[in-house]
PDB file of all heavy atoms in Angstrom:
ATOM      1  N   ARG A 404     -12.534  12.076   0.227  1.00 97.00           N
ATOM      2  CA  ARG A 404     -11.946  11.780   1.529  1.00 97.00           C
ATOM      3  C   ARG A 404     -10.957  12.875   1.936  1.00 97.00           C
ATOM      4  O   ARG A 404     -10.869  13.238   3.104  1.00 97.00           O
ATOM      5  CB  ARG A 404     -11.244  10.420   1.477  1.00 97.00           C
ATOM      6  CG  ARG A 404     -10.468  10.071   2.688  1.00 97.00           C
ATOM      7  CD  ARG A 404     -11.090   9.025   3.568  1.00 97.00           C
ATOM      8  NE  ARG A 404     -12.060   8.215   2.903  1.00 97.00           N
ATOM      9  CZ  ARG A 404     -13.306   8.046   3.341  1.00 97.00           C
ATOM     10  NH1 ARG A 404     -13.690   8.636   4.446  1.00 97.00           N
ATOM     11  NH2 ARG A 404     -14.139   7.280   2.689  1.00 97.00           N
ATOM     12  N   HIS A 407     -12.982  15.755   3.181  1.00 98.00           N
ATOM     13  CA  HIS A 407     -13.469  15.422   4.534  1.00 98.00           C
ATOM     14  C   HIS A 407     -12.338  15.629   5.549  1.00 98.00           C
ATOM     15  O   HIS A 407     -12.542  16.256   6.590  1.00 98.00           O
ATOM     16  CB  HIS A 407     -13.966  13.966   4.558  1.00 98.00           C
ATOM     17  CG  HIS A 407     -13.994  13.323   5.903  1.00 98.00           C
ATOM     18  ND1 HIS A 407     -14.913  13.680   6.876  1.00 98.00           N
ATOM     19  CD2 HIS A 407     -13.201  12.361   6.462  1.00 98.00           C
ATOM     20  CE1 HIS A 407     -14.678  12.947   7.976  1.00 98.00           C
ATOM     21  NE2 HIS A 407     -13.651  12.156   7.744  1.00 98.00           N
ATOM     22  N   HIS A 436      -5.990  11.428   9.820  1.00 98.00           N
ATOM     23  CA  HIS A 436      -6.695  10.347  10.517  1.00 98.00           C
ATOM     24  C   HIS A 436      -7.227   9.239   9.590  1.00 98.00           C
ATOM     25  O   HIS A 436      -7.350   8.097   9.995  1.00 98.00           O
ATOM     26  CB  HIS A 436      -7.835  10.905  11.380  1.00 98.00           C
ATOM     27  CG  HIS A 436      -9.050  11.299  10.609  1.00 98.00           C
ATOM     28  ND1 HIS A 436      -9.113  12.413   9.810  1.00 98.00           N
ATOM     29  CD2 HIS A 436     -10.267  10.698  10.496  1.00 98.00           C
ATOM     30  CE1 HIS A 436     -10.305  12.485   9.244  1.00 98.00           C
ATOM     31  NE2 HIS A 436     -11.029  11.466   9.650  1.00 98.00           N
ATOM     32  N   ASP A 437      -7.534   9.580   8.326  1.00 98.00           N
ATOM     33  CA  ASP A 437      -8.087   8.567   7.404  1.00 98.00           C
ATOM     34  C   ASP A 437      -7.086   8.171   6.311  1.00 98.00           C
ATOM     35  O   ASP A 437      -7.493   7.669   5.260  1.00 98.00           O
ATOM     36  CB  ASP A 437      -9.355   9.116   6.726  1.00 98.00           C
ATOM     37  CG  ASP A 437     -10.598   8.950   7.597  1.00 98.00           C
ATOM     38  OD1 ASP A 437     -10.558   8.133   8.546  1.00 98.00           O
ATOM     39  OD2 ASP A 437     -11.604   9.642   7.326  1.00 98.00           O
ATOM     40  N   LYS A 440      -7.473   4.803   4.694  1.00 97.00           N
ATOM     41  CA  LYS A 440      -8.841   4.306   4.477  1.00 97.00           C
ATOM     42  C   LYS A 440      -9.055   3.768   3.057  1.00 97.00           C
ATOM     43  O   LYS A 440      -9.963   2.980   2.807  1.00 97.00           O
ATOM     44  CB  LYS A 440      -9.855   5.410   4.778  1.00 97.00           C
ATOM     45  CG  LYS A 440     -11.252   4.842   4.969  1.00 97.00           C
ATOM     46  CD  LYS A 440     -12.156   5.750   5.736  1.00 97.00           C
ATOM     47  CE  LYS A 440     -13.516   5.089   5.887  1.00 97.00           C
ATOM     48  NZ  LYS A 440     -14.411   5.860   6.725  1.00 97.00           N
ATOM     49  N   LYS A 464     -14.570  -1.847   8.581  1.00 93.00           N
ATOM     50  CA  LYS A 464     -14.758  -0.394   8.479  1.00 93.00           C
ATOM     51  C   LYS A 464     -13.983   0.368   9.556  1.00 93.00           C
ATOM     52  O   LYS A 464     -13.694   1.551   9.384  1.00 93.00           O
ATOM     53  CB  LYS A 464     -16.247  -0.052   8.600  1.00 93.00           C
ATOM     54  CG  LYS A 464     -17.002  -0.325   7.323  1.00 93.00           C
ATOM     55  CD  LYS A 464     -18.448   0.060   7.487  1.00 93.00           C
ATOM     56  CE  LYS A 464     -19.219  -0.229   6.209  1.00 93.00           C
ATOM     57  NZ  LYS A 464     -20.649  -0.141   6.410  1.00 93.00           N
ATOM     58  N   HIS A 467      -9.184   0.987   9.645  1.00 97.00           N
ATOM     59  CA  HIS A 467      -8.261   2.015   9.144  1.00 97.00           C
ATOM     60  C   HIS A 467      -7.722   2.926  10.241  1.00 97.00           C
ATOM     61  O   HIS A 467      -6.683   3.556  10.060  1.00 97.00           O
ATOM     62  CB  HIS A 467      -8.935   2.845   8.044  1.00 97.00           C
ATOM     63  CG  HIS A 467     -10.017   3.737   8.551  1.00 97.00           C
ATOM     64  ND1 HIS A 467     -11.296   3.290   8.796  1.00 97.00           N
ATOM     65  CD2 HIS A 467     -10.014   5.048   8.889  1.00 97.00           C
ATOM     66  CE1 HIS A 467     -12.031   4.287   9.247  1.00 97.00           C
ATOM     67  NE2 HIS A 467     -11.274   5.370   9.314  1.00 97.00           N
ATOM     68  N   ALA A 468      -8.415   2.997  11.384  1.00 97.00           N
ATOM     69  CA  ALA A 468      -7.919   3.855  12.463  1.00 97.00           C
ATOM     70  C   ALA A 468      -6.595   3.295  12.995  1.00 97.00           C
ATOM     71  O   ALA A 468      -5.620   4.027  13.185  1.00 97.00           O
ATOM     72  CB  ALA A 468      -8.955   3.927  13.584  1.00 97.00           C
ATOM     73  N   HIS A 493     -10.040   6.880  16.721  1.00 96.00           N
ATOM     74  CA  HIS A 493     -11.065   7.781  16.179  1.00 96.00           C
ATOM     75  C   HIS A 493     -12.337   7.098  15.689  1.00 96.00           C
ATOM     76  O   HIS A 493     -13.380   7.738  15.619  1.00 96.00           O
ATOM     77  CB  HIS A 493     -10.475   8.704  15.093  1.00 96.00           C
ATOM     78  CG  HIS A 493     -10.476   8.153  13.699  1.00 96.00           C
ATOM     79  ND1 HIS A 493      -9.383   7.550  13.143  1.00 96.00           N
ATOM     80  CD2 HIS A 493     -11.430   8.121  12.740  1.00 96.00           C
ATOM     81  CE1 HIS A 493      -9.668   7.178  11.902  1.00 96.00           C
ATOM     82  NE2 HIS A 493     -10.906   7.508  11.635  1.00 96.00           N
ATOM     83  N   THR A 494     -12.301   5.824  15.387  1.00 94.00           N
ATOM     84  CA  THR A 494     -13.545   5.202  14.905  1.00 94.00           C
ATOM     85  C   THR A 494     -14.422   4.718  16.057  1.00 94.00           C
ATOM     86  O   THR A 494     -15.646   4.722  15.957  1.00 94.00           O
ATOM     87  CB  THR A 494     -13.278   3.988  13.975  1.00 94.00           C
ATOM     88  OG1 THR A 494     -12.282   3.174  14.561  1.00 94.00           O
ATOM     89  CG2 THR A 494     -12.840   4.447  12.606  1.00 94.00           C
ATOM     90  N   ASP A 510     -14.484  14.338  13.568  1.00 97.00           N
ATOM     91  CA  ASP A 510     -14.722  13.375  12.478  1.00 97.00           C
ATOM     92  C   ASP A 510     -16.219  13.219  12.211  1.00 97.00           C
ATOM     93  O   ASP A 510     -16.671  13.112  11.080  1.00 97.00           O
ATOM     94  CB  ASP A 510     -14.099  12.030  12.877  1.00 97.00           C
ATOM     95  CG  ASP A 510     -14.110  11.029  11.732  1.00 97.00           C
ATOM     96  OD1 ASP A 510     -14.045  11.452  10.563  1.00 97.00           O
ATOM     97  OD2 ASP A 510     -14.175   9.814  12.009  1.00 97.00           O
ATOM     98  N   ARG A 516     -20.358  17.414   6.080  1.00 87.00           N
ATOM     99  CA  ARG A 516     -21.128  16.166   6.137  1.00 87.00           C
ATOM    100  C   ARG A 516     -22.592  16.325   5.748  1.00 87.00           C
ATOM    101  O   ARG A 516     -23.281  15.339   5.520  1.00 87.00           O
ATOM    102  CB  ARG A 516     -21.041  15.545   7.530  1.00 87.00           C
ATOM    103  CG  ARG A 516     -19.742  14.770   7.735  1.00 87.00           C
ATOM    104  CD  ARG A 516     -19.827  13.891   8.965  1.00 87.00           C
ATOM    105  NE  ARG A 516     -18.643  13.066   9.102  1.00 87.00           N
ATOM    106  CZ  ARG A 516     -18.652  11.735   9.070  1.00 87.00           C
ATOM    107  NH1 ARG A 516     -19.783  11.089   8.868  1.00 87.00           N
ATOM    108  NH2 ARG A 516     -17.550  11.051   9.223  1.00 87.00           N
ATOM    109  N   PRO A 553     -20.052   3.219  11.131  1.00 46.00           N
ATOM    110  CA  PRO A 553     -19.446   3.574  12.402  1.00 46.00           C
ATOM    111  C   PRO A 553     -18.752   4.933  12.324  1.00 46.00           C
ATOM    112  O   PRO A 553     -18.344   5.315  11.260  1.00 46.00           O
ATOM    113  CB  PRO A 553     -18.423   2.471  12.617  1.00 46.00           C
ATOM    114  CG  PRO A 553     -18.117   1.901  11.300  1.00 46.00           C
ATOM    115  CD  PRO A 553     -19.344   2.110  10.463  1.00 46.00           C
TER     116      PRO A 553
HETATM  117 FE1  FE2 B 256     -12.059   7.304   9.833  1.00 93.08          FE
END
Side-chain angles (χ1 to χ4, degrees):
R404 173 106 20 234
H407 158 71
H436 77 287
D437 277 342
K440 197 159 181 175
K464 282 181 181 168
H467 70 278
H493 87 263
T494 46
D510 189 30
R516 279 194 175 242

